[in-house]
Amino acid sequence: MTAAPLPRLALEHVRKSFGSFLALADVGLAVPAGMFVSLLGPSGCGKTTLLRLIAGSIVPDQGRVLVDGEDVTGVPTWHRNMGMVFQSFALFPHMTVAENVAFPLEVRREPEGLRRRRVTEALAMVHLDRHAGAYPRQLSGGQQQRVGLARAIVYRPRILLLDEPLSNLDAGLREELRFEIGEVTRRLEITSVYVTHDQREALALSDRIAVMQAGRIVQFDTPEVIHRRPASAFVAGFVGYANSLTLEMQGGLGRLAAGAGALRPADGRGISGPAIAFIHASDVVLCTSAQLGENRLVCHVAAIAFMGDHTEYVLEWGQGLKMKAVAPVGAASLVRGDEVTVFLPAEKLVVVPADAEAADAPAR
Amino acid sequence: MSSVRAGAGALRAVLLLAFVLFIILPFVMVGLQAFGSGWFGMRLLPPTWTLRWFGWAIKTVDLVQVLVNTVAIALIATVVSLALAIPAAWALARHHVPFKSALIAAILLPRMIPEISFALGVAKVFYALHLINSYLGIALAHVILAAPFAVLVLASTFETMDARLLEAARVLGCNTPQLFRKVILPLAMPGLVAAALFSFLASYNDFVLTLLVYGPDTVTLPVQTYLSIGGGYISVASAISVILLIPSLLFLFGLVRLVRPENLLGGLKGA
């Protein structure tokens, strides 16, 4: 029997409460070396607590944090050799860009020559070589966070932690820096843990996503699987499924709880009883013919929004039940009040049992 | 609209005049007295100018010794004040302290009540402890006045210091001494400088408390000024007053340049 390589980072049965609030309930996670993992979830789900616990800023009530198999639960944060990028940037205002980036090397008492070489290298990597002598306040938000990134990687930490690094930036900069974070982490092949509440960031950057809900990891998988096969109603809602339909499943066929009609999802065989079917707005097909049958619903157009490269439709079916659909511009010439038949392709429907979690699913 | 503007203009003129009358004019009078000669009666300016009174002050009252006394006492008072105020302010600003507001009120009490009302008590205790007529004794008396200032200034400095910066420094590999030396100290420097200057000046300028605990070997500038006035040497007293003024003015202008508050902004984004 050959032993599997030790994960770079492992969490075992980690538990943490603040007073009576249970922030983390028995979390387990294993991150192989070089992997980019996102912790995705709404605010209060425990993702930031988990990150700070990995960093060592807080200590778990129970459970262990392991780095390369070594228990670091009791190791103080400054001996853990982790890099961290902060939501607030957290640059030292009394130091220049170069001094900020040199700081982790300086406190490690690295020799001057190595220090200078590494700082130059790190600044070049985030395209800030020209701003080495500037003070943080003289830089834009995007530049400041790039300094934060350079500072976090300059000493080649074992793990890079990123705490919502983009959430204080404007939309345009956010995309640019997201790209840069992906670039740098891939180039360095550094093990990264990225906290975010933005599913698009998580999908774009990650090798694996851990979706968190109320102090637990509810699904840990590749972005593709998370996106295509969410494990629960909560995950589906969180990763951006626009449409949900309540069903009663039996023998692979789902009878709609409201209105007439039935859905036959491709993977609904294993589920019986109350369930929820999810489908992306882009997967809803608007039909020109009024042919009826399974996976087809008759709707009224309640609202139309022209979005430039596509058109968004809000369709009403049953009593006050709405569904979103998008179509390329010019594909359908519908107006408000029109009756339209929609087709929900079986392989695009995601069915999960209606559980208690469904109530917590964020409205999207 | 224009009447409002005219009213504002008039108000500004009145306030400016009041400022000149009550703040600037006394200094001008003292200055004229210190550098003038034969200035009696209703003359607007002294008829002749002279440095004689400064010479007199140095000769007749051993001004150099008085200056040494004053500065030495002020330095001791500053060091002791900071030594007390730094931990107190850190605790008040960064830890949960029971009855915090009552505690702050108690710390500020010496600044709220007239010095003369507790000066006698201080003097009595100091006599018993043989602290009269010593640098340390007078400095300790001044700490009563200086420390509350220092605590207040430093507490607000420590309070505005962002905990996220300290956490960042920790994650990046900073141990406790390094955290203090490389992050906390530079970030708190403006507050520390301000607290030190205020403490120094509180001691340097104090008269009431000093009067009750000084002795022949520990005459300070304010006390000497008073003694000179009492001796009828108005011009000599004025010359001493001018000397007394210099550090206060230097510090006032130095404070703004030294502290450079703008260097401490930026680098942090509110979440």
Side-chain angles (χ1 to χ4, degrees), chain B residues 126-178:
Chain B
F126 277 29
Y127 270 110
L129 297 173
H130 303 289
L131 283 168
I132 302 294
N133 194 24
S134 77
Y135 282 0
L136 184 66
I138 298 173
L140 285 180
H142 291 169
V143 167
I144 301 170
L145 303 171
F149 254 149
V151 170
L152 218 59
V153 169
L154 288 172
S156 79
T157 303
F158 293 146
E159 230 159 46
T160 51
M161 195 178 290
D162 201 298
R164 293 172 296 180
L165 275 183
L166 307 189
E167 191 183 328
R170 285 294 204 185
V171 177
L172 295 169
C174 224
N175 61 30
T176 306
Q178 288 171 330

Side-chain angles (χ1 to χ4, degrees), chain A residues 13-45:
Chain A
H13 304 293
V14 167
R15 205 182 150 86
K16 178 75 190 176
S17 352
F18 298 106
S20 62
F21 175 69
L22 184 62
L24 294 171
D26 195 34
V27 170
L29 184 70
V31 181
M35 187 174 270
F36 194 115
V37 171
S38 287
L39 306 176
L40 175 66
S43 61
C45 73

Side-chain angles (χ1 to χ4, degrees), chain A residues 113-136:
Chain A
L114 177 83
R115 226 188 273 181
R116 200 165 311 148
R117 206 167 56 241
R118 287 273 182 85
V119 169
T120 311
E121 221 176 81
L123 283 178
M125 208 176 286
V126 297
H127 315 295
L128 278 177
D129 359 18
R130 287 157 176 276
H131 296 86
Y135 280 91

Side-chain angles (χ1 to χ4, degrees), chain A residues 75-87:
Chain A
V75 175
T77 174
W78 57 95
H79 284 150
R80 287 200 185 182
N81 203 22
M82 306 222 176
M84 193 155 173
V85 181
F86 301 87
Q87 182 176 11

Side-chain angles (χ1 to χ4, degrees), chain A residues 52 57 77-78 82 84 86 88-95 103-104 106-109 136-137 144 151 155 168, chain B residues 164-165 167-175 178 182-183 186-187 262-271:
Chain A
R52 296 181 68 214
S57 301
T77 174
W78 57 95
M82 306 222 176
M84 193 155 173
F86 301 87
S88 63
F89 311 155
L91 301 180
F92 303 116
H94 58 290
M95 299 181 194
F103 182 80
E106 192 188 324
V107 298
R108 284 171 175 74
R109 302 204 167 82
R137 71 189 131 83
Q144 288 189 37
R151 185 179 65 175
Y155 52 107
N168 269 326
Chain B
R164 293 172 296 180
L165 275 183
E167 191 183 328
R170 285 294 204 185
V171 177
L172 295 169
C174 224
N175 61 30
Q178 288 171 330
K182 292 177 192 294
V183 183
L187 286 177
E262 73 271 15
N263 263 358
L264 295 168
L265 301 174
L268 209 90
K269 187 92 178 191

